[in-house]
Amino acid sequence: MAPMILYPAIDLKDGQCVRLLHGDMEKATVFNTSPADQAERFVKDGFSWLHVVDLNGAIEGKSVNTAAVQSILESISIPVQLGGGIRTLEGIEAWIEAGVSRVILGTIAVHDPELVRKAARLWPEQIAVAVDVRDGKVAVDGWTGLSDIDAITLGKRFEDVGVAALIVTDISRDGALTGVNVEGVGELADAVSIPVIASGGVASVADIERLKARPGVEIAGAILGRSLYAGTIRPAEALTIAAA
């Protein structure tokens, strides 16, 4: 069994490190006013990747928390994957040149899949696709809108073009510490050849164990958010289980 990569999450709202409940911008809890400090803490905890989302950018359709992201990139040396409002080839290129290791594309993957395919060909293994699911359909525009596309249909659009990962989030569980949707994540993983990263609701190390134990295609990674900030997951224990 391959090691599972754990991605601690930094969600940026108005320059601060926050967690939302079910993606609701009005239900934000500030956990650190210094994103760079939070990133450094995660490095000290032993994590090998960092997951960053520009929440304001996801809604506005352009990068907003640019200074906060740049402060993170300057303060740590582990690879960073970044999403939120990046919807042009120029925007992707700018962030990769700034030091982002992997750019996450969500809304544009629904509205302009050819742009995502082109990006994946230009920057192989540096493009991930966000598959944010609510009521069986993929959400867009910072989760404020809903498309008519399901997760598997979206994922299959990007087979064999060099996409590094699909990041699948169950919005109904995100930030709620209610447990990860192993069945939903696994269904997508079994349907595509692209590595799948689980997000939304990971509440304890038991969720990591459940993801690793499921039959079928292995889950490549899991994103840890509120569980780390609330202390329901201890980094050392989680990393040991993920590596087993």
Side-chain angles (χ1 to χ4, degrees), residues 72-150:
I72 291 171
L73 294 172
E74 291 168 2
S75 67
I76 62 173
S77 58
I78 65 171
V80 172
Q81 63 180 21
L82 171 68
I86 306 169
R87 297 178 190 169
T88 65
L89 291 174
E90 293 77 13
I92 297 166
E93 183 176 30
W95 278 120
I96 289 175
E97 289 184 350
V100 170
S101 296
R102 185 185 293 162
V103 172
I104 305 166
L105 305 177
T107 296
I108 200 68
V110 173
H111 295 320
D112 189 357
E114 185 51 41
L115 185 146
V116 178
R117 295 187 192 102
K118 185 173 182 179
R121 290 191 291 266
L122 287 170
W123 300 285
E125 299 305 314
Q126 288 189 276
I127 302 297
V129 172
V131 185
D132 304 319
V133 183
R134 177 188 283 128
D135 300 327
K137 300 297 182 181
V138 176
V140 294
D141 299 321
W143 300 355
T144 62
L146 204 61
S147 74
D148 59 359
I149 300 172
D150 62 68

Coordinates of all heavy atoms in Angstrom, one line a residue, residues 72-150:
I72 N 3.5 33.1 2.3 CA 3.6 31.7 2.6 C 4.7 31.1 1.7 O 5.6 30.4 2.3 CB 2.3 31.0 2.3 CG1 1.2 31.4 3.3 CG2 2.5 29.5 2.2 CD1 -0.2 30.9 2.9
L73 N 4.7 31.4 0.4 CA 5.8 30.9 -0.5 C 7.2 31.3 0.0 O 8.1 30.5 -0.1 CB 5.5 31.3 -1.9 CG 4.2 30.8 -2.6 CD1 4.0 31.5 -3.9 CD2 4.3 29.3 -2.7
E74 N 7.3 32.5 0.5 CA 8.6 33.0 1.0 C 9.0 32.4 2.3 O 10.2 32.4 2.6 CB 8.5 34.5 1.1 CG 8.4 35.2 -0.3 CD 8.1 36.7 -0.1 OE1 8.0 37.2 1.0 OE2 7.9 37.4 -1.1
S75 N 8.1 31.9 3.1 CA 8.4 31.4 4.4 C 8.7 29.9 4.5 O 9.2 29.5 5.5 CB 7.3 31.8 5.4 OG 6.1 31.1 5.1
I76 N 8.3 29.1 3.5 CA 8.5 27.7 3.6 C 9.1 27.2 2.3 O 9.1 27.8 1.3 CB 7.2 27.0 3.9 CG1 6.2 27.2 2.7 CG2 6.6 27.4 5.2 CD1 4.9 26.4 2.9
S77 N 9.6 25.9 2.4 CA 10.3 25.3 1.2 C 9.5 24.1 0.8 O 9.9 23.5 -0.3 CB 11.7 25.0 1.6 OG 11.8 24.1 2.7
I78 N 8.5 23.6 1.5 CA 7.8 22.4 1.0 C 6.9 22.9 -0.1 O 6.5 24.1 -0.2 CB 7.0 21.8 2.1 CG1 5.9 22.7 2.7 CG2 7.9 21.3 3.3 CD1 4.9 22.0 3.6
P79 N 6.5 22.0 -1.0 CA 5.6 22.3 -2.1 C 4.2 22.8 -1.7 O 3.7 22.3 -0.7 CB 5.5 21.1 -3.0 CG 6.0 20.0 -2.1 CD 6.9 20.6 -1.1
V80 N 3.7 23.7 -2.5 CA 2.4 24.3 -2.2 C 1.4 24.1 -3.4 O 1.8 24.3 -4.5 CB 2.5 25.8 -1.9 CG1 1.1 26.5 -1.8 CG2 3.3 26.1 -0.6
Q81 N 0.2 23.6 -3.1 CA -0.8 23.6 -4.1 C -1.8 24.7 -3.8 O -2.2 24.9 -2.6 CB -1.5 22.3 -4.3 CG -2.2 21.8 -3.1 CD -2.9 20.4 -3.4 OE1 -2.5 19.7 -4.3 NE2 -3.9 20.0 -2.6
L82 N -2.2 25.5 -4.8 CA -3.0 26.7 -4.6 C -4.2 26.7 -5.5 O -4.1 26.5 -6.7 CB -2.2 28.0 -4.9 CG -2.9 29.3 -5.0 CD1 -3.4 29.7 -3.6 CD2 -2.0 30.4 -5.6
G83 N -5.4 27.0 -5.0 CA -6.6 27.2 -5.7 C -7.3 28.4 -5.3 O -7.0 29.1 -4.3
G84 N -8.4 28.8 -6.1 CA -9.2 29.9 -5.7 C -9.1 31.1 -6.7 O -8.2 31.9 -6.6
G85 N -10.0 31.1 -7.7 CA -10.0 32.3 -8.6 C -9.0 32.3 -9.7 O -8.9 33.2 -10.5
I86 N -8.3 31.2 -9.9 CA -7.3 31.1 -11.0 C -8.0 30.5 -12.2 O -8.3 29.4 -12.3 CB -6.1 30.2 -10.6 CG1 -5.5 30.7 -9.3 CG2 -5.0 30.3 -11.7 CD1 -4.5 29.8 -8.7
R87 N -8.2 31.4 -13.2 CA -9.1 31.0 -14.4 C -8.5 31.3 -15.7 O -9.2 31.3 -16.7 CB -10.5 31.6 -14.2 CG -11.1 31.0 -12.9 CD -12.5 31.6 -12.6 NE -12.9 31.2 -11.3 CZ -13.9 31.7 -10.6 NH1 -14.7 32.6 -11.2 NH2 -14.2 31.2 -9.4
T88 N -7.2 31.7 -15.8 CA -6.6 32.0 -17.1 C -5.2 31.3 -17.1 O -4.6 31.0 -16.1 CB -6.4 33.5 -17.3 OG1 -5.5 34.0 -16.3 CG2 -7.8 34.2 -17.2
L89 N -4.8 31.1 -18.4 CA -3.4 30.5 -18.5 C -2.4 31.5 -18.0 O -1.4 31.1 -17.4 CB -3.1 30.2 -20.0 CG -3.9 29.1 -20.6 CD1 -3.6 29.0 -22.1 CD2 -3.6 27.8 -20.0
E90 N -2.6 32.8 -18.1 CA -1.7 33.8 -17.6 C -1.6 33.7 -16.1 O -0.5 33.8 -15.5 CB -2.1 35.2 -18.0 CG -2.0 35.4 -19.5 CD -3.1 34.8 -20.4 OE1 -4.1 34.4 -19.8 OE2 -2.9 34.8 -21.6
G91 N -2.8 33.5 -15.5 CA -2.8 33.4 -14.0 C -2.1 32.2 -13.5 O -1.4 32.2 -12.5
I92 N -2.3 31.1 -14.2 CA -1.6 29.8 -13.9 C -0.1 30.0 -14.0 O 0.6 29.7 -13.0 CB -2.1 28.7 -14.8 CG1 -3.6 28.4 -14.6 CG2 -1.2 27.4 -14.5 CD1 -4.2 27.5 -15.7
E93 N 0.3 30.6 -15.1 CA 1.8 30.8 -15.3 C 2.4 31.7 -14.2 O 3.5 31.4 -13.7 CB 2.0 31.3 -16.7 CG 3.5 31.5 -17.0 CD 3.7 32.0 -18.5 OE1 2.8 32.7 -19.0 OE2 4.7 31.7 -19.1
A94 N 1.6 32.7 -13.9 CA 2.2 33.6 -12.9 C 2.4 33.0 -11.6 O 3.5 33.2 -10.9 CB 1.2 34.8 -12.7
W95 N 1.5 32.1 -11.1 CA 1.6 31.5 -9.9 C 2.7 30.4 -9.9 O 3.5 30.2 -8.9 CB 0.3 30.9 -9.4 CG -0.6 31.9 -8.7 CD1 -1.8 32.3 -9.1 CD2 -0.2 32.7 -7.6 NE1 -2.3 33.3 -8.3 CE2 -1.3 33.5 -7.3 CE3 0.9 32.8 -6.7 CZ2 -1.4 34.4 -6.2 CZ3 0.9 33.7 -5.7 CH2 -0.2 34.5 -5.4
I96 N 2.8 29.7 -11.0 CA 3.9 28.7 -11.1 C 5.3 29.4 -11.1 O 6.2 28.9 -10.4 CB 3.7 27.8 -12.4 CG1 2.5 26.9 -12.2 CG2 5.0 27.0 -12.7 CD1 2.1 26.0 -13.4
E97 N 5.4 30.5 -11.8 CA 6.6 31.2 -11.8 C 6.9 31.8 -10.4 O 8.1 32.0 -10.0 CB 6.6 32.4 -12.8 CG 6.7 31.9 -14.2 CD 6.7 33.0 -15.2 OE1 6.5 34.2 -14.9 OE2 7.0 32.7 -16.4
A98 N 5.9 32.1 -9.6 CA 6.0 32.6 -8.2 C 6.5 31.5 -7.3 O 6.8 31.9 -6.1 CB 4.7 33.3 -7.8
G99 N 6.4 30.3 -7.7 CA 6.8 29.2 -6.8 C 5.8 28.2 -6.4 O 6.1 27.3 -5.6
V100 N 4.5 28.3 -6.9 CA 3.5 27.4 -6.6 C 3.8 26.1 -7.3 O 4.1 26.1 -8.5 CB 2.1 27.9 -6.9 CG1 1.1 26.8 -6.9 CG2 1.7 29.1 -6.0
S101 N 3.8 25.0 -6.6 CA 4.1 23.7 -7.3 C 3.0 23.1 -8.0 O 3.2 22.3 -9.0 CB 4.6 22.7 -6.2 OG 5.8 23.1 -5.6
R102 N 1.7 23.4 -7.6 CA 0.6 22.8 -8.3 C -0.6 23.8 -8.2 O -0.9 24.3 -7.1 CB 0.2 21.5 -7.6 CG -1.0 20.7 -8.3 CD -1.4 19.5 -7.4 NE -0.3 18.5 -7.4 CZ -0.2 17.5 -6.5 NH1 -1.1 17.4 -5.5 NH2 0.8 16.6 -6.6
V103 N -1.2 24.1 -9.3 CA -2.3 25.0 -9.4 C -3.6 24.2 -9.5 O -3.7 23.3 -10.3 CB -2.2 26.0 -10.6 CG1 -3.5 26.8 -10.8 CG2 -1.0 26.9 -10.4
I104 N -4.6 24.6 -8.6 CA -5.9 23.9 -8.6 C -6.9 24.7 -9.4 O -7.1 25.9 -9.1 CB -6.4 23.7 -7.1 CG1 -5.3 23.0 -6.3 CG2 -7.7 23.0 -7.1 CD1 -5.5 23.1 -4.8
L105 N -7.6 24.1 -10.3 CA -8.6 24.7 -11.1 C -9.9 24.1 -10.9 O -10.1 22.8 -10.9 CB -8.2 24.6 -12.6 CG -6.8 25.1 -13.0 CD1 -6.6 24.8 -14.5 CD2 -6.7 26.6 -12.7
G106 N -10.9 24.9 -10.6 CA -12.3 24.4 -10.2 C -13.3 24.9 -11.2 O -13.8 24.1 -12.1
T107 N -13.7 26.1 -11.0 CA -14.8 26.7 -11.8 C -14.5 26.6 -13.3 O -15.4 26.2 -14.1 CB -15.1 28.1 -11.4 OG1 -15.5 28.2 -10.1 CG2 -16.1 28.8 -12.3
I108 N -13.3 26.9 -13.7 CA -12.9 26.8 -15.1 C -12.9 25.4 -15.7 O -13.1 25.2 -16.9 CB -11.5 27.5 -15.3 CG1 -11.3 27.9 -16.8 CG2 -10.4 26.6 -14.9 CD1 -12.2 29.1 -17.2
A109 N -12.8 24.4 -14.8 CA -12.8 23.0 -15.3 C -14.2 22.7 -15.7 O -14.4 21.8 -16.6 CB -12.4 22.1 -14.1
V110 N -15.2 23.3 -15.1 CA -16.6 23.1 -15.6 C -16.9 24.0 -16.8 O -17.5 23.5 -17.8 CB -17.6 23.5 -14.4 CG1 -19.0 23.5 -14.9 CG2 -17.4 22.6 -13.2
H111 N -16.5 25.2 -16.8 CA -16.9 26.1 -17.9 C -16.0 26.1 -19.1 O -16.5 26.4 -20.2 CB -16.9 27.6 -17.3 CG -18.0 27.8 -16.3 ND1 -19.2 27.3 -16.3 CD2 -17.9 28.5 -15.1 CE1 -19.9 27.7 -15.3 NE2 -19.1 28.4 -14.5
D112 N -14.7 25.7 -18.9 CA -13.8 25.8 -20.1 C -12.8 24.6 -19.9 O -11.6 24.8 -19.7 CB -13.1 27.1 -20.1 CG -12.3 27.3 -21.4 OD1 -12.2 26.3 -22.2 OD2 -11.7 28.3 -21.6
P113 N -13.3 23.4 -20.1 CA -12.4 22.2 -19.9 C -11.2 22.2 -20.8 O -10.1 21.7 -20.4 CB -13.3 21.0 -20.1 CG -14.5 21.5 -20.9 CD -14.6 22.9 -20.4
E114 N -11.3 22.8 -22.0 CA -10.2 22.8 -22.9 C -9.0 23.7 -22.4 O -7.8 23.3 -22.6 CB -10.6 23.3 -24.3 CG -9.5 23.3 -25.3 CD -8.8 21.9 -25.4 OE1 -9.6 20.9 -25.4 OE2 -7.6 21.8 -25.6
L115 N -9.3 24.7 -21.6 CA -8.3 25.5 -21.0 C -7.5 24.7 -20.0 O -6.3 24.7 -19.9 CB -8.8 26.7 -20.3 CG -7.8 27.7 -19.7 CD1 -8.3 29.1 -19.8 CD2 -7.5 27.4 -18.2
V116 N -8.2 23.8 -19.2 CA -7.6 23.0 -18.3 C -6.7 21.9 -19.0 O -5.6 21.7 -18.5 CB -8.6 22.3 -17.4 CG1 -7.9 21.3 -16.4 CG2 -9.5 23.3 -16.6
R117 N -7.2 21.4 -20.1 CA -6.4 20.4 -20.8 C -5.1 21.0 -21.3 O -4.0 20.5 -21.3 CB -7.2 19.8 -22.0 CG -8.4 19.0 -21.5 CD -9.1 18.3 -22.7 NE -10.4 17.8 -22.3 CZ -11.6 18.3 -22.6 NH1 -11.6 19.4 -23.3 NH2 -12.7 17.8 -22.3
K118 N -5.2 22.3 -21.9 CA -4.1 23.0 -22.4 C -3.1 23.3 -21.3 O -1.9 23.1 -21.4 CB -4.5 24.3 -23.0 CG -3.4 25.0 -23.7 CD -3.9 26.2 -24.5 CE -2.7 26.9 -25.2 NZ -3.2 28.1 -26.0
A119 N -3.6 23.7 -20.1 CA -2.7 24.0 -19.0 C -2.0 22.7 -18.5 O -0.8 22.7 -18.2 CB -3.5 24.5 -17.8
A120 N -2.7 21.6 -18.5 CA -2.1 20.3 -18.1 C -1.0 19.9 -19.1 O 0.0 19.2 -18.7 CB -3.1 19.2 -18.0
R121 N -1.2 20.2 -20.4 CA -0.1 19.9 -21.4 C 1.1 20.8 -21.2 O 2.2 20.4 -21.4 CB -0.7 19.9 -22.8 CG -1.7 18.8 -23.1 CD -2.1 18.8 -24.6 NE -2.8 19.9 -25.0 CZ -4.2 20.0 -25.1 NH1 -4.9 18.9 -24.7 NH2 -4.8 21.1 -25.5
L122 N 0.8 22.1 -20.9 CA 1.9 23.1 -20.7 C 2.7 22.8 -19.5 O 3.9 23.0 -19.4 CB 1.3 24.5 -20.7 CG 0.8 25.0 -22.1 CD1 0.1 26.3 -21.9 CD2 2.0 25.2 -23.0
W123 N 2.0 22.5 -18.4 CA 2.6 22.2 -17.1 C 2.2 20.9 -16.6 O 1.4 20.7 -15.6 CB 2.2 23.3 -16.1 CG 2.6 24.7 -16.6 CD1 3.8 25.3 -16.6 CD2 1.7 25.7 -17.1 NE1 3.8 26.5 -17.1 CE2 2.5 26.9 -17.4 CE3 0.3 25.8 -17.4 CZ2 2.0 28.0 -18.0 CZ3 -0.2 26.9 -18.0 CH2 0.6 28.0 -18.3
P124 N 2.7 19.8 -17.2 CA 2.4 18.4 -16.7 C 2.6 18.2 -15.3 O 3.6 18.6 -14.7 CB 3.2 17.5 -17.7 CG 4.3 18.4 -18.2 CD 3.7 19.8 -18.2
E125 N 1.7 17.5 -14.6 CA 1.7 17.2 -13.2 C 1.7 18.4 -12.3 O 2.0 18.3 -11.1 CB 2.9 16.3 -12.9 CG 2.9 15.0 -13.7 CD 1.6 14.2 -13.4 OE1 1.2 14.1 -12.2 OE2 0.9 13.7 -14.4
Q126 N 1.4 19.6 -12.8 CA 1.4 20.8 -12.0 C -0.1 21.4 -11.9 O -0.3 22.5 -11.4 CB 2.4 21.8 -12.5 CG 3.8 21.5 -12.2 CD 4.7 22.6 -12.5 OE1 5.2 22.8 -13.6 NE2 5.1 23.4 -11.4
I127 N -1.0 20.7 -12.5 CA -2.4 21.1 -12.5 C -3.3 20.1 -11.8 O -3.2 18.9 -12.1 CB -2.9 21.3 -14.0 CG1 -2.0 22.3 -14.7 CG2 -4.4 21.8 -14.0 CD1 -2.0 23.7 -14.2
A128 N -4.1 20.5 -10.9 CA -5.1 19.7 -10.2 C -6.5 20.3 -10.5 O -6.6 21.4 -10.8 CB -4.8 19.6 -8.7
V129 N -7.4 19.4 -10.5 CA -8.8 19.8 -10.7 C -9.6 19.6 -9.4 O -9.6 18.6 -8.8 CB -9.5 19.0 -11.8 CG1 -11.0 19.4 -11.9 CG2 -8.8 19.4 -13.2
A130 N -10.3 20.7 -9.0 CA -11.2 20.7 -7.8 C -12.5 20.1 -8.2 O -13.2 20.7 -9.1 CB -11.3 22.0 -7.2
V131 N -13.0 19.1 -7.6 CA -14.3 18.5 -7.8 C -15.1 18.7 -6.5 O -15.1 17.9 -5.6 CB -14.2 17.0 -8.2 CG1 -15.6 16.4 -8.5 CG2 -13.2 16.8 -9.3
D132 N -15.8 19.8 -6.5 CA -16.5 20.2 -5.2 C -18.0 19.9 -5.4 O -18.7 20.4 -6.3 CB -16.4 21.7 -5.0 CG -14.9 22.2 -4.9 OD1 -14.1 21.4 -4.3 OD2 -14.5 23.2 -5.5
V133 N -18.4 18.9 -4.6 CA -19.7 18.3 -4.8 C -20.8 18.7 -3.8 O -20.5 18.6 -2.6 CB -19.6 16.8 -4.9 CG1 -21.0 16.1 -5.2 CG2 -18.6 16.4 -5.9
R134 N -21.9 19.2 -4.3 CA -23.1 19.4 -3.4 C -24.3 18.8 -4.0 O -24.6 19.0 -5.2 CB -23.3 20.9 -3.2 CG -24.5 21.2 -2.3 CD -24.9 22.7 -2.3 NE -24.0 23.4 -1.4 CZ -23.3 24.5 -1.7 NH1 -23.4 25.0 -3.0 NH2 -22.6 25.1 -0.9
D135 N -25.0 18.0 -3.3 CA -26.2 17.3 -3.8 C -26.0 16.6 -5.1 O -26.8 16.6 -6.0 CB -27.4 18.3 -4.0 CG -27.7 19.1 -2.7 OD1 -27.6 18.4 -1.6 OD2 -28.1 20.2 -2.7
G136 N -24.8 16.0 -5.2 CA -24.5 15.1 -6.4 C -24.0 15.9 -7.6 O -23.6 15.3 -8.6
K137 N -23.9 17.2 -7.5 CA -23.5 18.0 -8.6 C -22.3 18.8 -8.2 O -22.1 19.1 -7.1 CB -24.6 18.9 -9.2 CG -25.8 18.2 -9.6 CD -25.5 17.3 -10.8 CE -26.8 16.6 -11.3 NZ -26.5 15.7 -12.5
V138 N -21.5 19.3 -9.2 CA -20.3 20.0 -9.0 C -20.6 21.5 -8.8 O -21.2 22.1 -9.7 CB -19.3 19.8 -10.1 CG1 -18.0 20.7 -9.9 CG2 -18.8 18.3 -10.2
A139 N -20.1 22.1 -7.7 CA -20.3 23.5 -7.4 C -19.3 24.4 -8.1 O -18.2 23.9 -8.4 CB -20.3 23.7 -5.9
V140 N -19.6 25.6 -8.4 CA -18.7 26.6 -9.0 C -18.7 27.9 -8.3 O -19.5 28.1 -7.4 CB -19.1 26.7 -10.5 CG1 -18.8 25.4 -11.3 CG2 -20.5 27.2 -10.7
D141 N -17.8 28.8 -8.8 CA -17.8 30.2 -8.3 C -17.7 30.3 -6.7 O -18.5 30.9 -6.1 CB -19.0 31.0 -8.7 CG -19.1 31.0 -10.3 OD1 -18.0 31.2 -10.9 OD2 -20.2 30.9 -10.8
G142 N -16.7 29.6 -6.2 CA -16.5 29.6 -4.7 C -17.7 28.9 -4.0 O -18.0 29.3 -2.9
W143 N -18.3 27.9 -4.7 CA -19.4 27.1 -4.1 C -20.7 27.9 -4.0 O -21.6 27.5 -3.4 CB -19.0 26.5 -2.8 CG -17.9 25.6 -2.7 CD1 -17.1 25.2 -3.8 CD2 -17.3 25.0 -1.6 NE1 -16.1 24.4 -3.4 CE2 -16.2 24.2 -2.0 CE3 -17.6 25.0 -0.2 CZ2 -15.4 23.5 -1.2 CZ3 -16.8 24.3 0.6 CH2 -15.7 23.6 0.2
T144 N -20.8 29.1 -4.7 CA -22.0 29.9 -4.6 C -23.0 29.4 -5.7 O -24.1 29.8 -5.7 CB -21.7 31.4 -4.8 OG1 -21.1 31.6 -6.1 CG2 -20.8 31.8 -3.7
G145 N -22.5 28.7 -6.7 CA -23.3 28.2 -7.8 C -23.2 26.7 -8.0 O -22.3 26.1 -7.5
L146 N -24.2 26.2 -8.7 CA -24.2 24.7 -8.9 C -24.3 24.4 -10.4 O -25.2 25.0 -11.1 CB -25.4 24.1 -8.1 CG -25.3 22.6 -7.7 CD1 -24.1 22.4 -6.8 CD2 -26.5 22.1 -7.0
S147 N -23.5 23.5 -10.9 CA -23.5 23.1 -12.3 C -24.5 21.9 -12.4 O -25.0 21.4 -11.4 CB -22.1 22.7 -12.8 OG -21.7 21.5 -12.3
D148 N -24.6 21.4 -13.6 CA -25.4 20.2 -13.8 C -24.6 19.0 -14.1 O -25.0 18.0 -14.6 CB -26.4 20.4 -15.0 CG -25.7 20.7 -16.3 OD1 -24.5 20.8 -16.3 OD2 -26.4 20.9 -17.3
I149 N -23.3 19.1 -13.7 CA -22.3 18.0 -14.0 C -22.0 17.3 -12.7 O -21.9 17.9 -11.6 CB -21.0 18.6 -14.6 CG1 -21.3 19.3 -15.9 CG2 -20.0 17.5 -14.8 CD1 -20.1 20.1 -16.4
D150 N -21.9 15.9 -12.8 CA -21.6 15.1 -11.6 C -20.1 14.9 -11.6 O -19.3 15.2 -12.5 CB -22.3 13.8 -11.6 CG -22.0 12.9 -12.8 OD1 -20.8 12.5 -12.8 OD2 -22.9 12.7 -13.6

